[in-house]
Amino acid sequence: MSNSQPQPQPQPDARSKSPDPEKKYRNVTALQRRLNAVMRRLPGQTLLETTGRVSGLPRRTPVGGRREGDSFWLVSEFGERSQYIRNIRADPRVRVRIRGRWHPGTAHLLPDDDPRARLRRLPRFNSMAVRAMGVGSGLLTVRVELDG
Protein backbone atom coordinates (compact mmCIF):
# COMPACT_ATOMS: atom_id res chain seq x y z
CA MET A 1 0.00 0.00 0.00
CA SER A 2 1.09 3.50 -0.78
CA ASN A 3 0.80 6.32 1.73
CA SER A 4 0.71 8.98 -0.96
CA GLN A 5 -2.27 11.27 -1.18
CA PRO A 6 -4.22 11.46 -4.45
CA GLN A 7 -2.88 14.25 -6.63
CA PRO A 8 -5.30 17.07 -7.36
CA GLN A 9 -6.46 17.13 -10.95
CA PRO A 10 -5.56 20.28 -12.89
CA GLN A 11 -8.49 22.60 -13.33
CA PRO A 12 -9.29 23.81 -16.83
CA ASP A 13 -8.21 27.36 -17.54
CA ALA A 14 -11.27 29.59 -17.15
CA ARG A 15 -10.14 31.69 -20.11
CA SER A 16 -10.32 28.67 -22.39
CA LYS A 17 -14.10 28.59 -21.91
CA SER A 18 -14.76 32.28 -22.45
CA PRO A 19 -12.73 34.86 -24.33
CA ASP A 20 -10.40 37.13 -22.40
CA PRO A 21 -12.39 40.39 -22.04
CA GLU A 22 -9.36 42.60 -22.71
CA LYS A 23 -8.42 40.65 -25.83
CA LYS A 24 -12.03 40.77 -27.05
CA TYR A 25 -12.12 44.54 -26.48
CA ARG A 26 -8.93 45.06 -28.50
CA ASN A 27 -10.12 42.80 -31.33
CA VAL A 28 -13.57 44.37 -31.56
CA THR A 29 -12.27 47.95 -31.43
CA ALA A 30 -9.74 47.17 -34.20
CA LEU A 31 -12.58 45.75 -36.33
CA GLN A 32 -14.84 48.71 -35.55
CA ARG A 33 -12.16 51.22 -36.61
CA ARG A 34 -12.14 49.65 -40.06
CA LEU A 35 -15.91 49.22 -40.31
CA ASN A 36 -16.73 52.67 -38.96
CA ALA A 37 -14.65 54.35 -41.66
CA VAL A 38 -16.97 52.76 -44.23
CA MET A 39 -20.22 53.01 -42.23
CA ARG A 40 -19.82 56.77 -41.67
CA ARG A 41 -20.06 57.28 -45.43
CA LEU A 42 -23.35 55.42 -45.88
CA PRO A 43 -26.19 57.94 -46.30
CA GLY A 44 -28.73 55.97 -44.26
CA GLN A 45 -26.42 55.17 -41.33
CA THR A 46 -27.32 56.78 -38.01
CA LEU A 47 -24.36 58.77 -36.69
CA LEU A 48 -23.58 60.27 -33.31
CA GLU A 49 -21.37 63.36 -33.50
CA THR A 50 -19.49 64.32 -30.36
CA THR A 51 -16.74 66.89 -29.81
CA GLY A 52 -13.31 65.36 -29.22
CA ARG A 53 -12.37 66.00 -25.62
CA VAL A 54 -8.69 66.61 -26.50
CA SER A 55 -8.79 67.82 -30.11
CA GLY A 56 -12.04 69.79 -29.99
CA LEU A 57 -12.83 68.35 -33.45
CA PRO A 58 -16.13 66.70 -34.44
CA ARG A 59 -16.02 62.90 -34.01
CA ARG A 60 -18.63 60.84 -35.83
CA THR A 61 -19.51 57.34 -34.71
CA PRO A 62 -21.99 55.00 -36.41
CA VAL A 63 -24.59 53.93 -33.85
CA GLY A 64 -27.82 52.06 -33.71
CA GLY A 65 -30.75 53.08 -31.64
CA ARG A 66 -34.25 54.42 -31.87
CA ARG A 67 -35.92 57.78 -31.77
CA GLU A 68 -38.84 57.99 -29.37
CA GLY A 69 -40.48 61.40 -29.51
CA ASP A 70 -37.85 64.02 -28.74
CA SER A 71 -35.31 61.46 -27.49
CA PHE A 72 -32.86 59.17 -29.23
CA TRP A 73 -31.87 56.04 -27.27
CA LEU A 74 -28.79 53.88 -27.74
CA VAL A 75 -26.65 51.43 -25.78
CA SER A 76 -22.85 51.63 -25.80
CA GLU A 77 -21.29 48.17 -25.98
CA PHE A 78 -18.15 49.28 -24.10
CA GLY A 79 -19.78 51.68 -21.68
CA GLU A 80 -17.31 54.06 -20.05
CA ARG A 81 -14.48 52.74 -22.25
CA SER A 82 -16.10 54.00 -25.46
CA GLN A 83 -14.37 57.08 -26.81
CA TYR A 84 -17.70 58.73 -27.62
CA ILE A 85 -18.84 58.18 -24.02
CA ARG A 86 -15.66 59.89 -22.79
CA ASN A 87 -16.35 62.75 -25.21
CA ILE A 88 -19.94 63.05 -23.91
CA ARG A 89 -18.64 63.26 -20.34
CA ALA A 90 -16.47 66.21 -21.38
CA ASP A 91 -19.18 67.90 -23.49
CA PRO A 92 -22.73 66.48 -23.60
CA ARG A 93 -23.78 68.64 -26.59
CA VAL A 94 -24.03 66.25 -29.56
CA ARG A 95 -25.70 65.82 -32.92
CA VAL A 96 -27.45 62.71 -34.20
CA ARG A 97 -27.94 62.02 -37.90
CA ILE A 98 -31.20 60.11 -38.34
CA ARG A 99 -32.35 59.21 -41.85
CA GLY A 100 -29.92 61.72 -43.36
CA ARG A 101 -30.97 64.68 -41.20
CA TRP A 102 -28.88 66.14 -38.35
CA HIS A 103 -30.53 66.82 -34.98
CA PRO A 104 -28.68 68.71 -32.21
CA GLY A 105 -29.22 67.60 -28.65
CA THR A 106 -27.83 66.88 -25.21
CA ALA A 107 -26.65 63.39 -24.30
CA HIS A 108 -27.34 61.87 -20.89
CA LEU A 109 -25.48 58.80 -19.62
CA LEU A 110 -27.85 56.55 -17.68
CA PRO A 111 -25.86 54.05 -15.57
CA ASP A 112 -28.99 53.18 -13.54
CA ASP A 113 -30.97 52.15 -16.65
CA ASP A 114 -31.00 48.42 -17.45
CA PRO A 115 -29.12 48.29 -20.79
CA ARG A 116 -30.17 44.70 -21.54
CA ALA A 117 -33.85 45.59 -21.11
CA ARG A 118 -33.26 48.72 -23.20
CA LEU A 119 -31.72 46.63 -26.00
CA ARG A 120 -34.95 44.63 -26.20
CA ARG A 121 -36.74 47.88 -27.12
CA LEU A 122 -34.20 48.96 -29.76
CA PRO A 123 -33.80 47.67 -33.34
CA ARG A 124 -33.09 43.94 -33.30
CA PHE A 125 -30.06 43.88 -35.63
CA ASN A 126 -28.23 46.59 -33.70
CA SER A 127 -29.11 45.00 -30.37
CA MET A 128 -27.66 41.67 -31.49
CA ALA A 129 -24.44 43.42 -32.57
CA VAL A 130 -24.14 45.27 -29.24
CA ARG A 131 -24.62 42.02 -27.32
CA ALA A 132 -22.09 40.18 -29.50
CA MET A 133 -19.44 42.91 -29.34
CA GLY A 134 -19.96 44.06 -25.78
CA VAL A 135 -17.58 43.03 -23.06
CA GLY A 136 -18.91 41.81 -19.74
CA SER A 137 -21.12 44.21 -17.85
CA GLY A 138 -19.81 47.27 -19.67
CA LEU A 139 -23.07 48.16 -21.42
CA LEU A 140 -24.31 51.72 -20.86
CA THR A 141 -27.57 53.36 -21.90
CA VAL A 142 -27.44 56.81 -23.49
CA ARG A 143 -30.42 59.11 -24.04
CA VAL A 144 -30.04 62.11 -26.31
CA GLU A 145 -32.64 64.81 -25.71
CA LEU A 146 -33.11 66.31 -29.16
CA ASP A 147 -33.62 70.08 -29.46
CA GLY A 148 -36.97 71.26 -30.79
Side-chain angles (χ1 to χ4, degrees), residues 8-34:
Q9 296 298 314
Q11 297 296 315
D13 185 359
R15 288 183 298 180
S16 66
K17 291 183 179 180
S18 63
D20 174 26
E22 191 59 30
K23 184 176 181 180
K24 181 178 180 183
Y25 172 77
R26 286 191 311 270
N27 290 339
V28 169
T29 54
L31 173 67
Q32 283 181 332
R33 265 188 228 107
R34 290 178 183 94

Side-chain angles (χ1 to χ4, degrees), residues 7-146:
Q7 296 297 317
Q9 296 298 314
Q11 297 296 315
D13 185 359
R15 288 183 298 180
S16 66
K17 291 183 179 180
S18 63
D20 174 26
E22 191 59 30
K23 184 176 181 180
K24 181 178 180 183
Y25 172 77
R26 286 191 311 270
N27 290 339
V28 169
T29 54
L31 173 67
Q32 283 181 332
R33 265 188 228 107
R34 290 178 183 94
L35 283 176
N36 287 355
V38 174
M39 299 295 285
R40 279 191 292 266
R41 291 176 173 85
L42 298 176
Q45 175 65 49
T46 301
L47 296 176
L48 175 68
E49 184 181 81
T50 60
T51 301
R53 64 193 176 282
V54 175
S55 69
L57 298 173
R59 300 297 183 197
R60 293 180 176 172
T61 305
V63 294
R66 173 170 285 144
R67 183 174 184 167
E68 294 178 2
D70 288 336
S71 296
F72 182 82
W73 293 85
L74 67 120
V75 174
S76 168
E77 65 267 32
F78 296 124
E80 298 287 340
R81 292 185 77 175
S82 292
Q83 296 303 314
Y84 69 87
I85 296 296
R86 292 175 180 185
N87 290 343
I88 289 169
R89 280 213 178 279
D91 181 359
R93 294 295 303 162
V94 301
R95 292 194 317 155
V96 182
R97 187 179 78 179
I98 305 168
R99 296 186 182 117
R101 185 165 168 250
W102 286 102
H103 304 270
T106 304
H108 302 275
L109 307 178
L110 304 173
D112 294 332
D113 190 68
D114 181 352
R116 294 193 187 286
R118 180 70 53 194
L119 283 172
R120 288 191 290 273
R121 295 173 49 195
L122 297 179
R124 185 174 303 191
F125 179 75
N126 173 255
S127 296
M128 287 186 325
V130 168
R131 284 188 197 98
M133 289 189 238
V135 177
S137 61
L139 302 177
L140 177 64
T141 302
V142 179
R143 183 186 77 240
V144 178
E145 289 298 320
L146 303 172

